[in-house]
């Protein structure tokens, strides 16, 4: 509720589907948790909003990387960890499609990783720009996907993402 209206009502279900599939196939799963340093943010480490949602809870053996900037590559050992598991293709899901996911996908592409952003397992919220113009979560989500696709990563669906874990 803190961020307002969100797009993609199937977000949680699609992430749950991918997690179950990846785990069944023994594919690597890496969780990235944002620990905000912004005063008043519900994502500050000491607040309940920082907890990982039940539908995405890590299981034993799945690393949890903690970050405090938009990119999962900055301030974490993500690149080192990926190297230890053979630099597999990255299938990236989560919140928010126009900020943290977008930044991580862009960096992954710039660093040379084969990357995929799952359109229906990412989501964002309505926002207002510096001039007071409102943008819907759907608009922001679609623009984020358009700016990523075939430039930094390939945008795919949850169904298509399942074919990448064999």
């Amino acid at each position: 509720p803190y961020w307002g209206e969100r797009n993609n009502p199937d977000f949680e279900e699609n992430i749950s589907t991918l997690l179950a599939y990846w785990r069944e196939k023994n594919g690597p799963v890496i969780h990235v948790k944002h620990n905000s340093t912004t005063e008043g943010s519900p994502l500050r480490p000491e607040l309940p909003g920082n907890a990982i949602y039940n539908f995405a809870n890590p299981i034993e053996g799945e690393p949890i990387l903690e970050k405090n900037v938009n990119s999962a590559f900055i301030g974490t050992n993500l690149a080192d960890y990926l190297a230890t598991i053979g630099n597999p293709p990255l299938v990236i899901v989560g919140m928010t499609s126009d900020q943290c996911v977008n930044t991580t996908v862009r960096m992954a592409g710039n660093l040379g990783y084969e990357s995929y952003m799952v359109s229906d397992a990412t989501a964002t919220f309505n926002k207002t720009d510096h001039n007071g113009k409102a943008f819907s979560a759907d608009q922001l989500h679609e623009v984020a996907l358009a700016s990523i696709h075939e430039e930094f990563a390939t945008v795919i669906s949850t169904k298509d993402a399942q074919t990448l874990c064999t």
Side-chain angles (χ1 to χ4, degrees), residues 22 48 115 138:
W22 238 254
S115 303
D138 283 331

Side-chain angles (χ1 to χ4, degrees), residues 85-162:
I85 61 171
N87 291 317
L90 304 182
V91 177
I92 301 171
V93 304
M95 293 289 251
T96 59
S97 50
D98 60 327
Q99 291 181 356
C100 293
V101 174
N102 193 298
T103 304
T104 298
V105 169
R106 286 172 181 270
M107 282 200 72
N110 284 333
L111 293 169
Y113 293 98
E114 178 184 347
S115 303
Y116 300 88
M117 184 172 171
V118 185
S119 62
D120 56 357
T122 55
T124 195
F125 300 93
N126 292 348
K127 291 186 179 70
T128 303
D129 76 5
H130 61 286
N131 291 316
K133 183 176 179 181
F135 294 89
S136 74
D138 283 331
Q139 288 173 314
L140 293 168
H141 183 73
E142 292 302 319
V143 169
L145 296 175
S147 69
I148 289 297
H149 187 60
E150 295 182 350
E151 181 68 28
F152 297 96
T154 303
V155 175
I156 59 175
S157 67
T158 292
K159 182 179 177 185
D160 292 336
Q162 292 179 45

Side-chain angles (χ1 to χ4, degrees), residues 61-85:
E62 294 176 351
I64 303 170
L65 305 180
E66 297 189 6
K67 65 180 185 67
N68 59 20
V69 296
N70 289 337
S71 175
F73 285 95
I74 295 176
T76 72
N77 69 344
L78 178 56
D80 293 336
Y81 182 77
L82 291 171
T84 68
I85 61 171

Side-chain angles (χ1 to χ4, degrees), residues 9-68:
D10 297 328
F11 168 79
E12 292 88 349
E13 181 181 338
N14 290 332
I15 288 180
S16 296
T17 296
L18 286 175
L19 279 171
Y21 187 82
W22 238 254
R23 289 168 176 161
E24 177 186 316
K25 299 291 185 181
N26 294 314
V29 174
I30 303 165
H31 300 266
V32 179
K33 183 179 177 192
H34 187 83
N35 294 330
S36 180
T37 58
T38 302
E39 194 64 39
S41 170
L43 298 179
R44 290 183 64 84
E46 70 274 10
L47 296 177
N50 184 264
I52 295 174
Y53 288 113
N54 289 336
F55 71 88
N57 268 335
I59 61 173
E60 187 176 334
E62 294 176 351
I64 303 170
L65 305 180
E66 297 189 6
K67 65 180 185 67
N68 59 20

